[in-house]
Amino acid sequence: MASKPVPASSAPYLLGRALLPLRAFLGFTFCFAGLQKLANPRFFDAADPASIQSQLAGAARRSPVHALISPLAHVAVPLGVLIAFGELAVGVGTLLGLRARLAAAGGLALSLMLFLTVSFHSAPYYTGADIVLVFAWTPLLLAGSGPAQTATARPSHRATARPRQPAKAPPGTAIGPASGVPVGQAASFTDPATGDPSIVIRPSSGTFVAFDAVCPHAGCTVGYDPGQKVIVCPCHGSQFNVGTGAVEVGPATAGLKKLRITEGPNGQLYVT
């Protein structure tokens, strides 16, 4: 019985894209919050009920950590400036993906601080935005801005033998050892030029072909069926020629993009 095709994994690529809306929202929100504090003179005016001084005075009476807040009333203005610049740093870092986990940790700490000092007594609890932001920062703290999309052949974990003598590597980017792709099988990797999930197939000894694994019909990730020796889309059943990537069975109307792949003298596969 022919084995079922196994789609090339695109989890890192998809996770990075899935986090983009959350990064955009949190980054913009924290940049806006920091700039709003710095641009609003009322925030530093002790006579204004919306000032940092008034907020600290209220938190000193109501917050569950009031004992820690009371001494801060004497440094309210420097603390307000520090919070504003902290929000800006967190927002910019999140938007640009710079020190993503550090930015997320800062955002979570600021949100938790605001929850404990400002919105702790919101009822019901979920009506306060700060507790929501605490948990919104958690995925970015755990995953950063998304896993690095390194290109490696996956089916085998065998070590690559070192070349016996120095030899010039072919042009392109190394994606993994040729030994990681057995004859008649395939392996997944990430195209270093586009970031798309891709697939390399070894029809025979010494022969490798590679394609962008994104199905042109609906964007699903295709896989290789070694039993039928055909590339198959698991979503709608389109089939593509192993040698050329051309459509053999619809509904796809266009073939797969073929990538140039070469085995180097060091046993590595190179994609250009």
Side-chain angles (χ1 to χ4, degrees):
M1 181 177 67
S3 60
K4 295 182 179 180
V6 180
S9 173
S10 58
Y13 174 73
L14 293 176
L15 178 58
R17 292 185 65 179
L19 291 174
L20 282 176
L22 184 61
R23 285 175 54 197
F25 171 76
L26 292 174
F28 174 80
T29 299
F30 269 63
C31 284
F32 180 79
L35 290 173
Q36 186 183 48
K37 289 180 176 65
L38 295 174
N40 183 8
R42 297 176 55 194
F43 183 68
F44 300 104
D45 183 0
D48 195 291
S51 66
I52 179 67
Q53 294 91 335
S54 298
Q55 292 181 42
L56 286 175
R61 295 190 300 268
R62 300 187 302 270
S63 171
V65 291
H66 59 86
L68 300 176
I69 296 174
S70 297
L72 298 177
H74 303 292
V75 290
V77 172
L79 178 62
V81 173
L82 180 63
I83 291 173
F85 278 106
E87 288 174 332
L88 271 175
V90 167
V92 172
T94 302
L95 287 174
L96 300 181
L98 301 175
R99 302 286 184 180
R101 285 190 173 88
L102 181 60
L108 191 151
L110 285 169
S111 300
L112 182 60
M113 177 189 70
L114 291 172
F115 168 66
L116 292 174
T117 57
V118 178
S119 59
F120 182 79
H121 293 288
S122 297
Y125 73 92
Y126 51 79
T127 59
D130 299 312
I131 187 63
V132 177
L133 292 175
V134 168
F135 287 95
W137 282 111
T138 303
L140 296 180
L141 179 62
L142 297 176
S145 57
Q149 297 180 16
T150 54
T152 52
R154 304 180 188 189
S156 173
H157 297 284
R158 291 177 292 177
T160 305
R162 294 182 179 178
R164 296 181 180 178
Q165 59 183 11
K168 185 178 179 181
T173 303
I175 63 166
S179 60
V181 190
V183 175
Q185 300 296 323
S188 60
F189 67 97
T190 301
D191 184 356
T194 64
D196 285 354
S198 302
I199 187 169
V200 54
I201 304 168
R202 190 174 190 174
S204 60
S205 180
T207 302
F208 296 90
V209 290
F211 301 94
D212 187 307
V214 177
C215 180
H217 173 240
C220 297
T221 302
V222 301
Y224 177 61
D225 186 337
Q228 299 183 39
K229 297 183 180 179
V230 67
I231 301 171
V232 180
C233 176
C235 294
H236 305 101
S238 294
Q239 296 184 11
F240 304 88
N241 185 276
V242 172
T244 65
V247 178
E248 293 189 346
V249 177
T253 58
L256 300 174
K257 176 186 175 183
K258 191 171 184 179
L259 306 176
R260 183 178 178 183
I261 188 165
T262 308
E263 181 181 3
N266 58 354
Q268 292 287 316
L269 294 175
Y270 292 82
V271 169
T272 54

